[in-house]
């Protein structure tokens, strides 16, 4: 009998232990099953079937690892969730947004190393330049790109294969230009031709060139740069002198034209006066002169007030006073 007066049978303690042991066995069995299931799921989703997600701005390429169709699939995988078997295939992602790279001698721009481009002009002059390039991969051509280069890291492609293509294109085009043309007024034309050549080489694998150009001016030996600058200054001075000469000639021509105009006007006026005098002289006949004389005398008589003149002109031009008449 217990303290509380309860009576326990001799076999009751043994039954409790057996029930506890059975529960432990069940839990152990359940845990073992769960572990086995978890391991099975891990093996299944890591080696038999798995899922991945292709992000926006990326395209996936499925590379088949077994079977008769081994190799990259010709159809790219677009954005979204993708189920595949790691035992059978592999998914490689490529960005399709614009990539920009700068190859410069400045350690603070681009990568921390001197990556300037060098190429030779038509005369064999070595030219150095900093270059900027932007490109994007056509999503439809990503499988072709992978088959061609077998890289899944674009940095390896950009700073390896693409850099070599750019450098070779610069040398090919520069071999048809002299240093003055590349450094001077034909630089834009030179860069367009280089960009076109790069595009021709990369278009078959779907790489589209968006932009190409120099960062700053190309670098040539100081003596060559000074000579090019002096020549450009001389051309500007000559052009300014030609403009000033043309201006002076225009002003002189204007003055000459004005003088010729005045001379012609004077000649015209003189010719007019001479013609008028000729007409007047041809119209002066003796009868007309006599008529004019009579008309003048008549006018004097009409204007006479009845008084005799007090002086008259004598011989030699002397004035003589006349005697007064008493009335």
């Amino acid at each position: 009998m217990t303290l509380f007066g309860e009576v326990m049978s001799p076999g009751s303690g043994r039954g409790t232990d057996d029930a506890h042991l059975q529960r432990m066995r069940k839990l152990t069995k359940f845990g073992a099953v769960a572990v086995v299931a978890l391991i099975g799921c891990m093996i299944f989703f890591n080696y038999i079937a798995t899922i991945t997600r292709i992000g926006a701005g990326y395209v996936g390429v499925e590379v088949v690892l077994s079977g008769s169709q081994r190799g990259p699939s010709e159809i790219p995988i677009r954005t979204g969730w993708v189920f595949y078997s790691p035992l059978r295939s592999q998914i490689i992602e490529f960005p399709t947004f614009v990539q920009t790279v700068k190859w410069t001698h400045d350690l603070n721009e681009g990568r921390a190393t001197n990556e300037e481009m060098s190429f030779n002009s038509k005369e064999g002059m070595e030219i150095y330049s900093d270059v900027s390039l932007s490109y994007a991969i056509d999503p439809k051509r990503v499988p072709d790109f992978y088959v061609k280069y077998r890289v899944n890291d674009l940095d390896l492609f950009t700073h390896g294969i693409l850099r070599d293509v750019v450098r070779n294109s610069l040398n090919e085009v520069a071999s048809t230009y002299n240093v003055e043309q590349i450094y001077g007024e034909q630089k834009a034309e030179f860069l367009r031709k280089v960009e076109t050549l790069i595009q021709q080489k990369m278009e078959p694998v779907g790489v589209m060139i968006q932009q190409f150009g120099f960062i700053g001016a190309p670098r040539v030996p100081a003596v060559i740069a000074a000579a090019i600058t002096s020549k450009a200054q001389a051309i500007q001075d000559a052009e300014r002198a030609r403009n000033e000469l043309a201006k002076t000639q225009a002003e002189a021509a204007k003055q000459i034209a004005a003088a010729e105009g005045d001379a012609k006007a004077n000649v015209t006026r003189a010719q007019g006066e001479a013609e008028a005098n000729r007409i007047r002289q041809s119209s002066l006949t003796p009868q007309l002169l006599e008529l004019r004389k009579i008309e003048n005398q008549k006018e004097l008589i009409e204007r006479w007030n009845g008084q005799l003149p007090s002086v008259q002109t004598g011989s030699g031009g002397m004035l003589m006073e006349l005697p007064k008449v008493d009335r």
Side-chain angles (χ1 to χ4, degrees):
M1 181 179 293
T2 65
L3 182 63
F4 299 98
E6 296 178 352
V7 179
M8 298 183 61
S9 62
S12 61
R14 191 181 311 113
T16 303
D17 292 340
D18 292 341
H20 180 70
L21 183 60
Q22 289 179 358
R23 284 197 300 270
M24 291 298 296
R25 288 176 178 174
K26 290 180 179 179
L27 289 174
T28 302
K29 185 182 294 186
F30 178 78
V33 171
V35 170
V36 171
L38 180 61
I39 294 174
C41 289
M42 292 177 63
I43 293 174
F44 178 81
F45 286 109
N46 281 282
Y47 298 98
I48 300 176
T50 189
I51 183 172
T52 187
R53 186 174 66 88
I54 306 298
Y58 288 82
V59 167
V61 176
E62 183 180 7
V63 182
V64 180
L65 304 176
S66 62
S68 60
Q69 301 296 326
R70 288 191 295 269
S73 173
E74 297 180 357
I75 302 176
I77 303 173
R78 298 303 179 92
T79 302
W81 294 101
V82 180
F83 291 90
Y84 69 100
S85 173
L87 292 176
R88 181 179 180 275
S89 61
Q90 177 186 8
I91 302 298
I92 300 176
E93 289 187 59
F94 287 92
T96 56
F97 51 85
V98 175
Q99 307 287 319
T100 299
V101 59
K102 296 178 180 179
W103 294 302
T104 73
H105 74 296
D106 188 352
L107 303 183
N108 297 319
E109 188 170 10
R111 298 199 299 181
T113 182
N114 185 357
E115 295 183 314
E116 63 183 351
M117 291 282 184
S118 64
F119 52 93
N120 295 324
S121 66
K122 186 176 182 179
E123 311 94 337
M125 180 69 64
E126 190 169 19
I127 303 173
Y128 295 89
S129 65
D130 298 335
V131 174
S132 172
L133 176 72
S134 297
Y135 72 93
I137 302 176
D138 184 358
K140 298 179 181 178
R141 309 289 297 280
V142 167
D144 297 333
F145 178 86
Y146 180 77
V147 169
K148 176 71 175 181
Y149 299 114
R150 297 289 180 173
V151 294
N152 53 9
D153 185 354
L154 277 189
D155 280 345
L156 297 177
F157 165 77
T158 300
H159 296 285
I161 299 169
L162 184 59
R163 176 181 170 85
D164 290 341
V165 170
V166 172
R167 183 171 51 208
N168 293 337
S169 299
L170 279 169
N171 276 296
E172 286 183 38
V173 178
S175 64
T176 61
Y177 285 82
N178 59 49
V179 63
E180 184 179 353
Q181 293 172 329
I182 297 173
Y183 192 85
E185 60 183 9
Q186 296 189 35
K187 180 174 65 176
E189 175 187 314
F190 168 76
L191 290 174
R192 283 196 300 271
K193 289 186 177 181
V194 175
E195 181 177 351
T196 301
L197 184 57
I198 297 172
Q199 182 61 73
Q200 290 176 354
K201 293 180 178 181
M202 303 308 300
E203 195 276 334
V205 292
V207 177
M208 312 304 295
I209 305 301
Q210 307 293 324
Q211 172 272 332
F212 174 79
F214 289 148
I215 302 176
R219 291 182 291 279
V220 297
V223 176
I224 302 299
I228 294 174
T229 302
S230 299
K231 181 177 179 179
Q233 185 63 43
I235 293 174
Q236 292 178 359
D237 293 342
E239 184 65 25
R240 182 168 55 252
R242 281 195 295 270
N243 292 336
E244 292 176 354
L245 177 61
K247 182 180 179 181
T248 302
Q249 291 175 342
E251 292 177 352
K254 181 180 179 181
Q255 294 176 358
I256 292 172
E260 290 178 351
D262 292 341
K264 290 181 179 178
N266 292 333
V267 169
T268 301
R269 284 194 295 270
Q271 289 177 347
E273 292 177 359
E275 182 64 19
N277 291 333
R278 187 187 64 78
I279 294 173
R280 292 191 191 100
Q281 291 177 359
S282 63
S283 62
L284 292 178
T285 59
Q287 293 81 3
L288 181 59
L289 293 175
E290 185 64 26
L291 178 60
R292 293 298 185 190
K293 181 178 179 181
I294 294 172
E295 290 177 350
N296 290 336
Q297 290 178 352
K298 181 179 180 182
E299 184 178 355
L300 289 174
I301 293 172
E302 291 177 351
R303 289 164 51 187
W304 184 53
N305 57 5
Q307 294 182 356
L308 295 174
S310 58
V311 294
Q312 69 176 6
T313 302
S315 61
M318 297 180 61
L319 296 178
M320 299 179 61
E321 185 176 357
L322 298 175
K324 296 181 179 180
V325 180
D326 295 332
R327 296 196 175 183

